[in-house]
């Protein structure tokens, strides 16, 4: 059994790809207002919002348990609406040696909405650790919450 793993999922949203990307690249500290039952806050440690190298701690509830994940923004690709986070401390580091989350939003060809693609790339500490399938479900559900917030805000304008 390999210690290296990769899980991926797509979720269709109504919001434009650029607006969705902006949330994770520049305004992750607003996610708790968009998905408050899952994300309780994002604490800024260093760097500037919207810049690579920014360090933050996510406070969230996953599988019914309050957890934290301290992350660094490894890459922001505004052209492709992609942001890469690397976990550097917190609950995930109890089971994984390395953990990255990549979120990319792509406009649909018909111009109506987008497809959000999540990729979790990880290295387990030992073979008995399960793949983070429930965490992938968690980020998909957060994406739907963010989409609902963005489309509601857009409709109010």
């Amino acid at each position: 059994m390999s210690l290296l793993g990769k899980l991926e999922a797509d979720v269709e949203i109504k919001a434009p790809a650029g607006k969705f990307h902006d949330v994770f690249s520049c305004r992750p500290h607003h996610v708790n207002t968009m998905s408050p039952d899952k994300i309780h806050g994002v604490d800024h440690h260093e760097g500037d919002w919207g810049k690579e190298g920014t360090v933050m701690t996510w406070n969230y509830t996953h599988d019914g348990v309050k957890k934290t994940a301290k992350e660094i923004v490894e890459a922001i690709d505004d052209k492709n609406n992609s942001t890469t986070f690397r976990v550097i401390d917190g609950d995930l580091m109890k089971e994984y040696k390395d953990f990255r989350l990549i979120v990319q939003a792509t406009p649909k060809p018909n111009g109506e909405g987008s497809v959000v693609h999540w990729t979790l790339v990880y290295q387990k500490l030992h073979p008995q650790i399960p793949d983070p399938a429930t965490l992938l479900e968690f980020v998909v559900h957060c994406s739907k919450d963010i989409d609902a917030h963005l489309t509601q805000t857009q409709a109010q304008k």
Side-chain angles (χ1 to χ4, degrees):
M1 179 180 266
S2 175
L3 296 179
L4 299 176
K6 180 178 179 180
L7 293 177
E8 299 178 87
D10 288 328
V11 58
E12 292 189 20
I13 64 170
K14 295 176 185 165
K19 285 193 180 287
F20 188 88
H21 169 64
D22 182 64
V23 170
F24 282 99
S25 66
C26 298
R27 301 182 298 126
H29 54 296
H30 292 184
V31 174
N32 63 307
T33 63
M34 301 175 193
S35 188
D37 60 322
K38 296 171 192 69
I39 307 294
H40 310 297
V42 180
D43 301 322
H44 179 261
H45 295 287
E46 62 185 77
D48 295 321
W49 294 121
K51 304 287 183 192
E52 294 174 357
T54 301
V55 178
M56 66 198 79
T57 298
W58 295 78
N59 300 290
Y60 62 102
T61 298
H62 171 239
D63 288 340
V65 178
K66 288 191 176 192
K67 298 180 180 181
T68 63
K70 188 173 186 180
E71 299 177 349
I72 186 167
V73 177
E74 260 193 349
I76 296 174
D77 181 346
D78 291 328
K79 181 180 177 192
N80 293 305
N81 296 317
S82 175
T83 306
T84 302
F85 298 93
R86 180 171 47 94
V87 180
I88 56 175
D89 197 8
D91 292 285
L92 287 169
M93 296 291 93
K94 295 174 185 172
E95 297 184 312
Y96 301 94
K97 182 177 181 179
D98 186 44
F99 204 101
R100 285 178 172 73
L101 299 95
I102 304 155
V103 56
Q104 181 176 19
T106 305
K108 286 186 183 177
N110 65 6
E112 294 185 23
S114 314
V115 175
V116 175
H117 183 78
W118 281 95
T119 306
L120 307 184
V121 181
Y122 52 91
Q123 181 178 359
K124 301 175 188 180
L125 289 176
H126 57 78
Q128 291 72 35
I129 293 173
D131 292 327
T134 63
L135 187 61
L136 185 62
E137 291 174 24
F138 175 86
V139 296
V140 164
H141 288 293
C142 283
S143 298
K144 292 176 183 178
D145 291 345
I146 293 165
D147 178 47
H149 178 85
L150 292 174
T151 55
Q152 178 184 6
T153 303
Q154 185 68 25
Q156 293 174 352
K157 288 185 179 180

